[in-house]
């Protein structure tokens, strides 16, 4: 496929993610940080993020599974996840984290579970999108190295 | 009623108290001056009415009695007349009998009548004399003829005592008698005193005479004896008394049973039970003799009627006395009438009293109101004076502040702030002027001015004012909720001319009021202001997006956010929703090249149609018709929650109508409201346009470039300089000054734009970047970020400590971008190892929240270590104070939620600052 077309596709894809509110400007900043000295920056960050997020979500899940939820512990996890998602610009995930944070502040287990569900959904969506994005990214890098 | 009266007395006392408070300086009415007399008056009224009622009752009673008397007298007279008639009938019969005796006993010779004949005849004719118990005839016998008479009849003349009569001049023995009284035959009538008197009177007058009443023999009824003279020969036409006495042959007598007579008579008449009748013989007026009736019988002696009776006897006088059997019954009609009259009078009195009390109360109230009015007027005067002076007092220093605000060179952020401050300050001045205007509107003295102005910049200003507000509001509420703030956006149709003539201030006031309301009542969703020409038949055509201002939310892209809003929030007025807006945009793309021809319309006025749409709480249906009433808010809870006086919309309405337009709204509770109004402006001619163009804060001429920025979020071009947008957006959040400074230290100086992004703000930033660009010569590639920062950070070793790998990576990437050599560690402990003295790091960014050892904990030993080293060093080179505190690695905290407390904590732990790290 044509490199330019691929780039346009990538651009449109990212644009659509912006439009849906999945990502915010932070992500475009990350994209901007990727250059020739750092060609896999975006992929690297995304992978780091996904590993981190999955781990945290599992932790939160485990935490909420207990009879007596340790909310302060939960809080620190939520905080981490929120930090991660805001650093990558995952806007909706960040919002979902805020919900969970609020529910946790209120010591509302039911609300926490709902928020966790939302977080899980958002994360799945995000991961799917990221995978598609990385796929495009890799194709572009491949094409570029081929051309060189 | 008594209760009511008491109540009214109570009222009155209250009123009197009020009156005392009022003082005496005002004139009193008659009622006021006599108010203390009112209870006495009402008492007097009641008494007078009582007297009048009694009087009326008496009068009616008297009338009644008169009527009773009349009835009695007529009844009595009737009875008397009938008695008299019956009596005279009896007398006539006796007279006839006398004539019979005269004719057959004396004119015939021998006598054609004897005792037998007389008895038979009288018995058979007795029906004609029902009142007479019997009749008898006594012959006149002189003493000389007594022997002859006794011889002829064969019996001696007996006296009343049944013994032979004593010697007299004359005798009157009974020769004929009716069988019923045959026992008195041969009795000498002259021997009885009464009879003798009767006889003498009868023969002298030739008329029937009566005895005084006595108890009749046999029946024991009261009765009288009637005596009638019989003459021998025919009397001359006018006989003298002597001639009559001489001619007397005998006497016919009869006993009349008066009691039976009257009894019968009364029995025949109606109303017999009602009255008592007494008949008296009053010949001797000092001693009336009862002829009929019981003297002592009970009866009503109050009403008595006397009727004269004439029984034909000139010597005797009789009278009939009638009275009622029972006392006059109480007249219930009269009593009822009087009572009703009294009640009515009482009511009338009460009503009058109530009216008077009411008047008193009203007058008191009136006086009080007057006093209050005077005070209110005084207060109003004071308020007017206050309003006249205070705004000026505020305005003068304000102008000084605003004048100095932009005097010096400022960084883009500072400049942006300063511009905002200036704009806000100007808006404040305008608002102060509007306060004065409000007073003018209230006084009806508002005059509209006509100045040229730029509609778009008006909207920009107003929107910036409110986006600032809503941003602050969002910060105060919660950082997590900042994304839920409403979005503010303006769309101005391309057909709307740049400059119009009209009253800028009032127009601005209207917009401010409406948008202000929307902002106030909208928690989430959007506030969308749309402006187009009212004449435009196809508002969709020939339009393009002129200005899109997006504030309050983190979405950088208006179009995309439009889609999102549409899915989330519904607007009250469907015609004016984002849908149609999107159509406009699509059409704009299609018809971008269509020429806009407005020159031929220059002479006409322009009618603008402005609508302000929000997705707020809406207006409850009940109060929708009162929305434009002054001081009206939906309910008290509304003003509690949202503040405000409720005068805004009424002023807006006044203004719109003054400007020749009208205002209307559509609102659905919990969905949102859309206020639409039209205004008429004059077209602006070129000359004034040019004059004013410089004085008005213009948006950059190449503003269409911003459209590219806004829509694409990609690097845009500004006068040939490539500008890297991500740099701008990097910290485009709500941050405090402290964070901002740290951010600058981190290398993003000069390129910070605060969200919400506004045209003027962006313009200020762009201008500054442009200025830098000029210094460094045009066309320099700035993709590598700020050259200053690049120089600052290039080759410097910087430590980033963060357990969050993604975050760490991103941050390191950003720093590397500026040429820094970045080391990364994932925990405080690891960082501590690296920071052992002597250390070569230029700076250290440390996450606060880390497992095991957080940022604060990690900083502590570092500082301890450093101070120890410094002490040692200072001890060594005491003289060289310049090298004091050499060991000090700048440690900057990183956290996702910078609140003030966190910053304080940072300083306490001797960190050097705090960065809001995304």
């Amino acid at each position: 496929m044509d490199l330019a077309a691929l780039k346009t596709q990538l651009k449109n894809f990212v644009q659509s993610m912006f439009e849906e509110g999945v990502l915010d400007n932070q992500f475009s900043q990350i994209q901007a940080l990727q250059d020739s000295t750092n060609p896999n920056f975006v992929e690297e960050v995304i992978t780091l993020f996904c590993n981190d997020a999955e781990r945290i979500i599992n932790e939160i899940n485990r935490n909420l599974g207990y009879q007596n939820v340790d909310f302060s512990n939960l809080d620190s996890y939520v905080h981490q996840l929120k930090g991660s998602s805001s650093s990558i610009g995952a806007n909706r995930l960040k919002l979902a984290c805020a919900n969970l944070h609020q529910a946790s502040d209120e010591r509302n287990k039911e609300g926490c579970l709902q928020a966790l569900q939302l977080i899980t959904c958002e994360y799945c969506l995000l991961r799917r999108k990221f995978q598609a994005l990385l796929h495009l990214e890799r194709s572009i890098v491949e094409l570029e190295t081929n051309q060189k | 009623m008594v209760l009511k009266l008491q109540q009214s007395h109570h009222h009155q006392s209250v009123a009197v108290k009020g009156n005392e408070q009022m003082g005496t300086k005002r004139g009193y009415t008659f009622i006021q001056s006599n108010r203390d007399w009112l209870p006495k008056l009402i008492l007097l009224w009641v008494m007078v009415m009582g007297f009048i009622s009694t009087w009326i009752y008496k009068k009616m009673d008297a009338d009644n009695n008169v009527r009773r008397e009349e009835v009695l007298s007529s009844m009595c007279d009737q009875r008397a007349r009938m008695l008299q008639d019956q009596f005279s009938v009896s007398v006539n019969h006796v007279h006839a009998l006398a004539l019979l005796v005269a004719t057959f006993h004396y004119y015939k010779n021998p006598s054609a009548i004897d005792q037998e004949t007389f008895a038979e005849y009288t018995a058979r004719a007795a029906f004609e004399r029902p009142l007479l118990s019997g009749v008898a005839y006594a012959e006149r016998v002189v003493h000389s003829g007594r022997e002859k008479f006794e011889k002829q009849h064969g019996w001696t003349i007996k006296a009343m005592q049944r013994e032979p009569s004593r010697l007299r001049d004359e005798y009157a023995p009974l020769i004929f008698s009716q069988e019923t009284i045959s026992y008195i035959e041969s009795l000498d009538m002259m021997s009885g005193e009464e009879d003798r008197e009767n006889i003498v009177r009868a023969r002298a007058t030739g008329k029937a005479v009566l005895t005084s009443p006595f108890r009749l023999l046999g029946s024991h009824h009261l009765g009288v004896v009637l005596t009638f003279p019989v003459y021998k020969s025919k009397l001359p036409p006018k006989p003298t008394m002597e001639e009559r006495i001489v001619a007397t042959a005998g006497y016919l007598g009869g006993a009349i049973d008066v009691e039976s007579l009257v009894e019968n008579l009364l029995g025949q008449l109606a109303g017999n039970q009602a009255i008592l009748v007494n008949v008296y013989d009053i010949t001797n007026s000092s001693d009336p003799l009862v002829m009929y009736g019981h003297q002592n019988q009970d009866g009503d002696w109050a009403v008595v009627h006397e009727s004269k009776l004439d029984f034909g006897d000139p010597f005797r006088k009789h009278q009939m006395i009638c009275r009622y059997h029972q006392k006059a019954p109480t007249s219930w009609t009269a009593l009822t009438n009087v009572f009703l009259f009294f009640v009515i009078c009482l009511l009338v009195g009460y009503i009058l009293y109530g009216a008077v009390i009411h008047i008193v109360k009203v007058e008191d109230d009136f006086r009080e109101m007057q006093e209050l009015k005077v005070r209110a007027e005084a207060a109003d005067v004071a308020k007017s004076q206050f309003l006249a002076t205070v705004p000026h007092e505020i305005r003068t220093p304000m102008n000084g502040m605003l004048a100095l605000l932009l005097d010096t060179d400022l960084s883009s952020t500072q400049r942006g702030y300063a511009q905002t401050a200036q704009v806000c300050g100007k808006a404040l001045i305008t608002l102060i002027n509007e306060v004065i205007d409000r007073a003018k509107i209230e006084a009806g003295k508002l005059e509209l001015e006509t100045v040229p102005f730029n509609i778009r910049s008006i909207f920009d200003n107003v929107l910036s004012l409110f986006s600032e507000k809503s941003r602050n509001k969002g910060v105060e509420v919660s950082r997590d909720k900042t994304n839920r703030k409403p979005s503010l956006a303006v769309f101005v149709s391309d057909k709307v001319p740049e400059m119009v003539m009209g009253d800028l201030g009032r127009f601005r006031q209207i917009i401010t009021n409406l948008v202000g309301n929307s902002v106030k009542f909208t928690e989430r969703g959007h506030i969308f202001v749309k402006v187009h020409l009212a004449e435009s038949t196809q508002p969709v055509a020939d339009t393009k997006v002129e200005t899109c201002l997006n504030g309050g939310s983190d979405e950088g892209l208006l179009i995309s956010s439009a889609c999102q809003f549409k899915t989330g929030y519904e607007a009250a007025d469907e015609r004016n929703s984002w849908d149609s807006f999107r159509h406009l945009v699509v059409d704009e793309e299609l018809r971008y090249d269509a020429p806009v021809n407005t020159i031929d319309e220059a002479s006409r006025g322009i009618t603008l149609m402005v609508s302000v749409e929000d997705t707020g709480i809406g207006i409850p249906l009940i109060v929708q018709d009162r929305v434009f009433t002054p001081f009206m808010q939906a309910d008290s809870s509304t003003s509690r929650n949202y503040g405000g006086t409720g005068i805004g919309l009424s002023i807006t309405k006044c203004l719109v109508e003054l400007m020749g337009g009208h205002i209307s709204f559509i609102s659905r509770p919990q969905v949102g409201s859309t206020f639409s109004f039209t205004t008429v402006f004059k077209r602006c001619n070129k000359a004034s346009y040019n004059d004013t163009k410089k004085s008005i804060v213009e948006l950059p001429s190449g503003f269409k470039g911003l459209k590219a920025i806004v829509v694409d979020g990609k690097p845009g071009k500004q006068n040939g300089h490539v500008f890297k947008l991500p740099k701008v957006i990097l910290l485009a959040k709500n941050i405090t000054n402290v964070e901002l400074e740290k951010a600058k230290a981190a290398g993003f100086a000069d390129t910070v734009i605060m969200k919400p992004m506004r045209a003027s703000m962006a313009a200020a930033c762009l201008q500054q970047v442009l200025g830098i660009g000029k210094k460094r010569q045009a066309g320099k590639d700035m993709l590598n970020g700020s050259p200053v920062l690049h120089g600052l950070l290039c080759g410097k070793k910087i430590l980033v400590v963060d357990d969050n790998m993604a975050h760490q990576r991103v941050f390191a990437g950003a720093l590397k971008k500026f040429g820094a050599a970045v080391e990364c560690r994932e925990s405080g402990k690891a960082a501590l190892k690296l920071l052992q003295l002597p250390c070569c790091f230029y700076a250290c960014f440390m996450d606060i929240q880390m497992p095991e050892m957080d940022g604060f904990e990690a900083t502590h030993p570092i500082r301890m270590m450093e101070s120890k080293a410094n002490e040692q060093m200072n001890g060594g080179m005491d003289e060289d104070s310049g090298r004091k505190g050499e060991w000090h690695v700048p440690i900057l905290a990183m956290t996702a939620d910078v609140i003030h407390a966190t910053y304080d904590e940072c300083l306490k732990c001797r960190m050097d600052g705090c960065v809001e790290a995304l």
Side-chain angles (χ1 to χ4, degrees), chain A:
Chain A
M1 201 189 279
D2 189 15
L3 182 63
L6 265 179
K7 278 189 171 170
T8 317
Q9 201 184 345
L10 177 64
K11 190 179 120 185
N12 287 342
F13 184 67
V14 173
Q15 182 65 35
S16 74
M17 282 166 85
F18 282 155
E19 281 171 14
E20 287 162 25
V22 175
L23 292 179
D24 63 15
N25 288 317
Q26 178 65 22
F27 188 74
S28 50
Q29 188 207 347
I30 290 168
Q31 277 185 313
L33 287 173
Q34 175 169 304
D35 54 17
S36 53
T37 59
N38 219 343
N40 291 326
F41 186 73
V42 173
E43 184 176 351
E44 208 177 318
V45 171
I46 285 175
T47 318
L48 280 170
F49 166 75
C50 286
N51 293 341
D52 209 26
E54 265 164 48
R55 179 180 61 83
I56 295 171
I57 289 173
N58 283 335
E59 286 294 331
I60 293 174
N61 232 328
R62 200 164 53 79
N63 247 297
L64 280 174
Y66 294 144
Q67 194 68 33
N68 293 318
V69 181
D70 180 357
F71 281 105
S72 62
N73 200 9
L74 188 68
D75 260 357
S76 75
Y77 282 122
V78 175
H79 188 82
Q80 280 182 35
L81 184 58
K82 201 175 128 195
S84 297
S85 44
S86 74
S87 70
I88 204 160
N91 189 29
R92 276 161 66 169
L93 188 57
K94 194 174 78 184
L95 290 179
C97 285
N99 280 350
L100 181 52
H101 189 72
Q102 198 180 350
S104 155
D105 267 355
E106 291 163 4
R107 298 287 185 266
N108 178 359
K109 193 176 174 185
E110 197 62 31
C112 284
L113 287 172
Q114 275 177 13
L116 179 60
Q117 201 172 2
L118 183 64
I119 287 175
T120 317
C121 281
E122 290 292 348
Y123 174 69
C124 290
L125 176 76
L126 188 65
R127 195 178 57 181
R128 216 166 51 241
K129 298 254 182 196
F130 273 154
Q131 275 165 0
L133 189 136
L134 287 181
H135 183 72
L136 275 172
E137 196 97 28
R138 280 189 206 112
S139 315
I140 291 169
V141 171
E142 208 172 308
L143 263 177
E144 274 175 342
T145 45
N146 284 351
Q147 276 174 2
K148 277 172 190 173

Side-chain angles (χ1 to χ4, degrees), chain B residues 405-431:
Chain B
L405 204 53
L406 290 171
D407 264 8
T408 50
D409 274 344
L410 297 170
S411 71
S412 68
T413 321
Q414 284 169 329
R415 194 171 179 80
Y417 279 157
Q419 273 185 356
T420 303
Q422 197 186 32
V423 169
C424 293
K426 281 178 180 168
L428 189 57
I429 287 182
T430 321
L431 282 172

Side-chain angles (χ1 to χ4, degrees), chain B residues 528-586:
Chain B
F528 180 42
V529 185
K530 196 170 79 171
V531 187
H532 57 80
L533 284 182
E535 293 109 319
S536 172
T537 48
Q538 286 178 292
V540 170
D542 296 338
T543 57
K544 69 189 179 71
V545 180
E546 182 69 40
T547 312
C548 290
L549 300 163
N550 185 9
S553 98
D554 278 353
E555 273 93 2
L557 310 169
L558 185 63
I559 310 296
S560 64
S561 55
C563 303
Q564 199 191 355
F565 290 151
K566 190 54 199 166
T567 55
Y569 303 103
E570 199 182 353
D573 185 2
E574 296 298 337
R575 288 175 294 152
N576 192 24
S577 66
W578 285 96
D579 271 345
S580 62
F581 178 71
R582 285 167 72 195
H583 281 123
L584 293 177
V585 174
V586 172

Side-chain angles (χ1 to χ4, degrees), chain A residues 25 29 32 44 79 84 86, chain B residues 729-730 804 809 817 849 918:
Chain A
N25 288 317
Q29 188 207 347
E44 208 177 318
H79 188 82
S84 297
S86 74
Chain B
I729 301 176
L730 186 65
N804 187 325
R809 192 77 189 81
K817 201 87 185 167
Q849 282 197 316
L918 310 164

Side-chain angles (χ1 to χ4, degrees), chain B residues 278-282 306-309 317-321:
Chain B
N278 282 347
V279 180
Y280 295 97
D281 181 347
I282 51 162
E306 297 178 0
S307 296
K308 287 234 162 175
L309 287 172
K317 286 177 190 160
H318 297 92
Q319 74 171 9
M320 180 185 264
I321 293 177

